[in-house]
Amino acid sequence: MTAPDSDLTIDPEALRRRAETALRTARDRTHTLTTCVDEPDLTAQHSPLMSPLVWDLAHIGNQEEQWLLRAVGGRDALRPEIDSIYDAFEHPRAERPALPLLAPAEARGYVHEVRGRVLDILERIELRGAPLVDAGFAFGMIAQHEQQHDETMLITHQLRRGPAALTAPPPPAADGAALSEEVLIPGGPFTMGTSAEPWALDNERPAHRRLVPAFHLDTTPVTNGAYERFIADGGYTERRWWTADGWAYIQEHGLTAPLFWRREGGQWLRRRFGVTEPVPPEEPVVHVSWYEADAYARWAGRRLPTEEEWEKAARHDPESGRSRRYPWGDEDPTPAHANLGQRHLRPAAAGSYPRGASPLGVRQLIGDVWEWTSSDFLPYPGFRAFPYREYSEVFFGPSHKVLRGGSFAVDEVACRGTFRNWDLPVRRQIFSGFRTARDAS
Ligand SMILES: [Fe+2]
């Protein structure tokens, strides 16, 4: 008999400190992302796909006010008149620049005031009882929300024209070990999702058993070098590799390479956070849509992994039969395990992070690039929307594909083996890559 799920019992004081650290870490990053450019840059819309940075900033504070000050703390509303301006469902991104947004200084003052009151509540509140406060859930949810907007803001920085505003050291090099191209994941049941992780979001719940037949999975994400071979072999000009929708989309938009790539002097260049550089062949490819990932896999004689295949490769420990939090075990990620948290502004070369490998030797499942899977975003059996339908439930269905594993732009608080991201198959401004799979028989 195997244990059903990770066993996580954390004492309330440790949870309080964890919540405080998660909130502070998120705020430090928000500060970096919103102080490295000037005011006109903060209020400009750099792409119709994105909000002005100053919208994200005040939206972060407004969500924190609504959930932690009002819902959890029972305090009176601080700025109820701005709720509608910062309601993501009421205003699509393209129309946000026309709203009467708080100016940068006012937005900074607002998020600072909310945070001061929230830390006061966190010191006093008992982190048990109602589902919203139990194990500090709402604090974890809001820290994750801020980090997710920090990732969104990093995408805005990538889309922004002009000189570089952000810098970071390069990620560690690959360890040079000879890796097999793929890893066999034996067939059998495993536990998918979680009922134990205290800050897991509704769509990751509950833990349940899934039978996954044996399959082979790429040891690392697909690299730029491999992707260049797909392009050179007519990948974008041969209809047979593409789904009907994908082919129509690349024809309509004239796509011939990943976003931010351009061909010059016989080589591929890319623009990355304001710097133009040759595309490094050893790095995982990033900024590809689901359509492109799917076409590449077909060209390679393979397919994208399903979401359950990905999670089994990332969490199942063949020795104990248990599903763990991460490929390397249950301990939180460190800089030696994975490329997370905007510590570096690029994915690490394929074959990096040996300490982050799974028991069977699959590498870089966590961090580096989000990985497209073949799966639609659907609820698990027994799913219950919490704390609001708009978190996940309204996105379930065939229009969104699941991405797994997080990217270099994701903080560890919003990244675990069970974490599910979803997006439209056309999206490629996100930090998305993929790896491929094939049936074992
Ligand atoms: Fe949001």
Side-chain angles (χ1 to χ4, degrees), residues 171-187:
D175 62 352
L179 299 173
S180 60
E181 293 229 328
E182 60 179 10
V183 171
L184 172 67
I185 314 291

Side-chain angles (χ1 to χ4, degrees), residues 306-325:
T306 65
E307 184 184 9
E308 52 262 49
E309 285 174 337
W310 190 97
E311 186 169 325
K312 185 175 181 184
R315 295 186 63 212
H316 182 66
D317 175 18
E319 200 166 304
S320 66
R322 216 165 59 79
S323 282
R324 309 184 305 180
R325 298 173 72 211

Side-chain angles (χ1 to χ4, degrees), residues 59 63 145 149:
H59 168 81
Q63 286 289 299
H145 178 260
H149 276 275

